[in-house]
Amino acid sequence: MSTTTENKFQEIISHAKEYGFVFQSSEIYDGLSAVYDYGPYGSELKKNIRDYWWKSMTQMHENIVGLDAAIFMHPLTWKASGHVDNFSDPMIDNKDSNKRYRVDHLIEGLADTLREEGKKEEATALINKMDQLLAAEDFIALKELLISNNIKCAISGTANWTDIRQFNLMFSTEMGSVAEEANTIYLRPETAQGIFVNFLNVQKTARMKIPFGIAQTGKAFRNEIVARQFIFRMREFEQMEMQFFVRPGTQKEWYEYWKEARLQWHLSLGLPAEKYRYHDHVKLAHYADAALDIEYEFPFGFKEVEGIHSRTDFDLKNHQLLSGKKMQYFDNDIDPATNKPYGNYIPYVVETSIGLDRMFLLILSHSFAEEKWTKEDGKEDSRVVLRIPAKIAPLKLAILPLVKKDGLPEIAREIMNDCKGSFRCFYEEKDTIGKRYRRMDAIGTPFCITIDHQTKEDQTVTIRYRDTMQQERIPLAQVKEKVLAATL
Ligand code: GAP
């Protein structure tokens, strides 16, 4: 990361803390690495992103329904899903510092530096080579790649590496009070398995016909060895996942459909298309026949925010095998090739999986701006503003009486009472209007209205727009409608 982008990222992190978006978990005990808490505005923003996703998936698709499965699942779930045997990252230790690294992170770090130095082709060649070796699980050649590129430990400054080994990322705990009888169970590393094991319950009770989807949001846990970049890579995080069940043989066309549909979801928030790109996977996860990442250009470079995976029938087939329960669907649509119903089969699955915390960081990265300008009187002015899309902004409207007297607070309270059932409002009468505007800019409130003495005369208020800082006078009666139109 260059110094400027590093600085910008540090400013975003400080701003997130100062204005009540994100706190380090258990901060009074010096924190817990890669675990974070969301404060008053952070929890609102997070909820709004979740709701925006949920609505787009369920309310806007008649053939997608929701689920809220438990975090704990039967231990065999993770055997069937392949996570017990395959959910690991290749890691390497530096013998001098005893620091452990993910091998792909070390190589990506060098590729980032090469790009910053303008050596784009070298960076691409390095990443391609790494992808090839990871796909072949050739850890000897991968270690040679580290050494031949002179990749060193940031702490010891040496290239004195151990061999590369695989580490499983699942957290385990025990269920049951008596140690000998206790069962090892896992904290789910993805929410998807709760959907797979409930596939027939949902299909039957909601009377779904293929193709159909099941959407779920919830916590997932991974013992990330190298947890970096604030809330980008956490040990406890939240996913928003949708499994779309399709007829075998049609997975490719649904994969293309969801690849496009999910990018459009991001753009529907007004996020810039040029900040996005697709990245096809070379090394496929153990369950996939095709996979790609939707990447966004964070201050630290293009990184994955969402995955689209064609998961075949891998999960349902293995759950059928280990549970002994049929995971089949009866398709009574007529197959034109045989003129008979398609009949019984295990559906194929196309998954869309986005990290809620990562989307939150994306929104912060996109929104954060420091602005400076010269006023008409020649004096300098500045502000820090979060240009959060209005639809997901933590607060939608600030209601500000100009002074604490002359009946203005009473009018402001009336507006508050009228609007607060429809969207999140904020009432404030302390400090100058300028200071109050700045505070609202800093937490991304798209609209402020000021109630002044003229309001008493003609029932108009001044509305101020966060992004342009323009102000205009509008009838009081139009405020609610205007905010609703921009935020729904
Ligand atoms: N069910 C498929 C699955 O879990 P994944 O690519 O491992 O696929 C999906 O994860 C998304 O979850 C990622 O695109 C990312 O946004 C988010 N995610 C994964 N690991 C994360 C972590 N340690 N911290 C924050 N978000 C994470």
Side-chain angles (χ1 to χ4, degrees):
M1 230 190 298
S2 74
T3 330
T4 346
T5 48
E6 171 72 41
N7 285 350
K8 181 175 177 205
F9 190 46
Q10 288 311 323
E11 279 164 22
I12 293 173
I13 296 172
S14 311
H15 189 86
K17 182 177 173 200
E18 190 182 341
Y19 285 92
F21 283 84
V22 182
F23 308 126
Q24 174 82 61
S25 156
S26 340
E27 195 184 44
I28 57 166
Y29 294 104
D30 295 334
L32 184 65
S33 171
V35 186
Y36 291 89
D37 300 336
Y38 288 83
Y41 301 120
S43 50
E44 290 284 347
L45 174 58
K46 198 173 166 198
K47 180 184 175 303
N48 292 347
I49 300 173
R50 190 193 296 112
D51 289 349
Y52 189 68
W53 181 89
W54 185 259
K55 182 176 173 187
S56 83
M57 280 296 176
T58 60
Q59 196 171 323
M60 303 308 285
H61 287 95
E62 289 172 35
N63 61 349
I64 302 182
V65 288
L67 178 74
D68 182 4
I71 288 173
F72 289 144
M73 299 184 71
H74 192 285
L76 279 179
T77 308
W78 306 109
K79 187 74 189 155
S81 69
H83 284 83
V84 171
D85 298 320
N86 295 312
F87 193 55
S88 46
D89 280 333
M91 311 289 301
I92 197 163
D93 292 14
N94 182 272
K95 291 185 198 162
D96 298 321
S97 64
N98 288 328
K99 185 134 174 58
R100 182 164 293 165
Y101 295 91
R102 254 177 74 171
V103 175
D104 55 336
H105 287 172
L106 283 172
I107 297 174
E108 278 166 10
L110 174 62
D112 285 345
T113 313
L114 289 172
R115 275 189 214 103
E116 278 164 22
E117 290 168 357
K119 299 174 187 161
K120 284 201 176 143
E121 280 169 19
E122 252 180 77
T124 312
L126 181 67
I127 295 293
N128 289 346
K129 184 77 195 162
M130 174 185 81
D131 283 344
Q132 253 177 28
L133 297 176
L134 280 172
E137 298 197 0
D138 187 345
F139 296 145
I140 295 175
L142 208 52
K143 182 175 172 185
E144 275 161 19
L145 189 68
L146 282 186
I147 292 172
S148 61
N149 279 286
N150 203 19
I151 296 179
K152 292 179 177 156
C153 163
I155 313 258
S156 67
T158 71
N160 192 8
W161 298 113
T162 60
D163 286 340
I164 296 174
R165 281 169 297 162
Q166 296 271 32
F167 282 86
N168 196 291
L169 297 180
M170 282 196 294
F171 283 103
S172 61
T173 183
E174 261 145 35
M175 190 174 251
S177 52
V178 185
E180 306 83 69
E181 289 171 15
N183 260 327
T184 297
I185 56 165
Y186 298 99
L187 295 182
R188 65 182 178 197
E190 60 170 9
T191 60
Q193 296 305 323
I195 295 180
F196 286 121
V197 300
N198 278 296
F199 151 68
L200 280 180
N201 284 338
V202 174
Q203 186 268 320
K204 286 182 180 144
T205 53
R207 299 168 57 237
M208 305 306 286
K209 262 179 76 77
I210 268 178
F212 74 93
I214 305 177
Q216 172 167 234
T217 69
K219 287 281 176 116
F221 304 83
R222 295 183 189 177
N223 195 3
E224 300 282 1
I225 308 297
V226 186
R228 293 186 304 182
Q229 286 149 340
F230 190 39
I231 54 172
F232 183 81
R233 195 174 304 284
M234 302 157 88
R235 296 204 165 101
E236 174 181 340
F237 57 100
E238 194 164 335
Q239 289 186 316
M240 307 189 286
E241 298 202 298
M242 193 278 297
Q243 314 298 128
F244 200 70
F245 298 89
V246 304
R247 194 174 288 149
T250 63
Q251 70 272 21
K252 189 80 194 128
E253 73 196 63
W254 285 112
Y255 177 72
E256 293 301 327
Y257 171 85
W258 282 110
K259 168 182 169 178
E260 181 56 29
R262 288 305 304 149
L263 183 60
Q264 287 309 319
W265 178 84
H266 288 258
L267 303 184
S268 72
L269 279 167
L271 300 165
E274 64 276 13
K275 287 269 195 179
Y276 281 92
R277 71 179 187 195
Y278 292 121
H279 170 78
D280 290 314
H281 286 202
V282 179
K283 178 180 174 4
L284 293 171
H286 56 273
Y287 49 70
D289 71 357
L292 62 88
D293 297 334
I294 296 178
E295 292 188 340
Y296 176 81
E297 191 175 15
F298 288 91
F300 41 85
F302 272 101
K303 298 280 175 208
E304 168 186 358
V305 61
E306 172 155 7
I308 314 294
H309 310 126
S310 173
R311 290 181 78 131
T312 67
D313 57 356
F314 177 91
D315 302 84
L316 290 179
K317 205 167 65 190
N318 282 339
H319 286 308
Q320 174 167 298
L321 199 68
L322 262 75
S323 67
K325 307 280 181 338
K326 284 253 180 289
M327 284 292 183
Q328 290 180 344
Y329 168 85
F330 185 79
D331 188 339
N332 51 20
D333 279 1
I334 300 297
D335 177 353
T338 61
N339 236 0
K340 290 186 184 137
Y342 284 99
N344 269 316
Y345 58 78
I346 298 181
Y348 270 44
V349 172
V350 175
E351 163 186 75
T352 73
S353 174
I354 175 167
L356 175 50
D357 313 83
R358 225 171 255 192
M359 187 63 200
F360 185 105
L361 183 59
L362 186 159
I363 294 294
L364 279 191
S365 308
H366 160 78
S367 309
F368 181 85
E370 277 178 305
E371 295 175 349
K372 288 194 173 75
W373 65 95
T374 310
K375 292 192 293 187
E376 276 171 14
D377 61 7
K379 287 193 183 142
E380 297 294 306
D381 207 349
S382 68
R383 67 169 182 165
V384 173
V385 56
L386 290 184
R387 296 170 181 275
I388 301 176
K391 288 176 183 171
I392 54 170
L395 308 178
K396 310 296 189 209
L397 174 68
I399 301 168
L400 315 172
L402 186 65
V403 290
K404 280 191 236 173
K405 52 183 186 180
D406 304 335
L408 302 187
E410 287 73 12
I411 301 175
R413 281 284 172 205
E414 259 178 53
I415 305 173
M416 181 83 185
N417 287 337
D418 181 38
C419 292
K420 72 181 181 191
S422 306
F423 45 80
R424 191 81 161 78
C425 306
F426 182 78
Y427 175 91
E428 193 173 44
E429 51 185 34
K430 196 172 165 290
D431 287 330
T432 63
I433 230 30
K435 276 193 187 156
R436 284 183 263 170
Y437 283 159
R438 288 291 182 279
R439 276 202 292 273
M440 287 300 113
D441 286 345
I443 58 169
T445 310
F447 303 101
C448 294
I449 51 165
T450 303
I451 293 90
D452 57 18
H453 294 93
Q454 192 184 328
T455 311
K456 284 173 47 177
E457 312 288 313
D458 63 5
Q459 277 73 52
T460 63
V461 291
T462 302
I463 186 159
R464 180 211 186 244
Y465 304 100
R466 174 197 68 198
D467 293 345
T468 57
M469 293 191 281
Q470 297 290 316
Q471 302 183 14
E472 63 174 328
R473 206 97 206 156
I474 62 165
L476 192 47
Q478 283 178 14
V479 171
K480 186 169 170 184
E481 198 184 310
K482 201 170 177 81
V483 176
L484 276 175
T487 57
L488 265 187

